Amino acid sequence: MKMKKRINPSKFVIITTLSVLLFTVYSFFAFKKILLVSIILTLLNLFLFISYPLSIIKKNNYIIINRIIGKVVFNIEEYKIQRVDKRILKGAIRTFASGGLFGYQGCFYSNKLGHFKMIAVNLKQLYLLENKTTGKKIIINLI
């Protein structure tokens, strides 16, 4: 059985993304002498854009997150999966991540979870996938 669902971003993600994109355009005019700032912002936006999760598919024993370029595939049998509330993210630190720009993507750390990754565009329908072998954790939006 195959279930596909588009993941809708939260209002916070939309506002943050639009604000940063507008600032990036503005930076080309405001920082004419320091063009490197605008180039770095543009590259950052491009990287986050291409890794933005568009949809999620639950098919047989797999969860597939489709991105603008590429996809992330999880074999359900390799993971312990549990629904989590967004409160589990309270106090989480972005170690190498975006906390709203094109979603919540990257590496985080919290006292409750330790190190974990996250691929989500809103803080609803969050699921923690913990690899049964390695113990690595990732939080995703799931159908």
Side-chain angles (χ1 to χ4, degrees):
M1 185 168 130
K2 180 178 177 179
M3 292 175 52
K4 181 177 182 177
K5 183 178 180 188
R6 185 180 188 317
I7 309 171
N8 295 318
S10 66
K11 289 179 184 176
F12 176 76
V13 168
I14 293 169
I15 291 168
T16 301
T17 301
L18 290 176
S19 299
V20 172
L21 290 176
L22 287 172
F23 179 76
T24 302
V25 171
Y26 168 76
S27 73
F28 278 99
F29 302 102
F31 304 120
K32 289 180 183 177
K33 294 182 181 179
I34 313 171
L35 194 57
L36 184 61
V37 171
S38 301
I39 292 170
I40 290 171
L41 282 172
T42 302
L43 291 174
L44 174 66
N45 289 333
L46 183 61
F47 172 75
L48 291 171
F49 174 73
I50 63 175
S51 61
Y52 180 79
L54 291 172
S55 65
I56 189 159
I57 297 171
K58 192 172 180 186
K59 180 179 176 184
N60 300 329
N61 289 334
Y62 295 95
I63 296 170
I64 303 163
I65 298 174
N66 290 312
R67 294 180 165 180
I68 290 176
I69 295 181
K71 60 186 170 183
V72 182
V73 180
F74 301 98
N75 183 340
I76 293 174
E77 295 175 359
E78 295 176 4
Y79 289 89
K80 175 184 166 190
I81 302 171
Q82 63 183 19
R83 184 164 183 148
V84 293
D85 188 85
K86 68 180 181 180
R87 290 177 290 198
I88 199 166
L89 300 172
K90 186 175 181 177
I93 299 168
R94 294 178 298 235
T95 56
F96 189 74
S98 166
L101 179 60
F102 290 104
Y104 306 90
Q105 305 178 61
C107 301
F108 294 79
Y109 176 81
S110 76
N111 290 334
K112 292 181 182 178
L113 296 172
H115 293 279
F116 66 96
K117 291 184 179 180
M118 190 165 174
I119 304 173
V121 295
N122 61 54
L123 297 177
K124 298 175 183 176
Q125 297 173 302
L126 294 175
Y127 284 80
L128 173 65
L129 282 64
E130 185 173 356
N131 189 292
K132 294 175 183 175
T133 308
T134 66
K136 289 186 179 182
K137 299 174 186 128
I138 185 161
I139 293 179
I140 64 171
N141 290 123
L142 193 56
I143 302 169

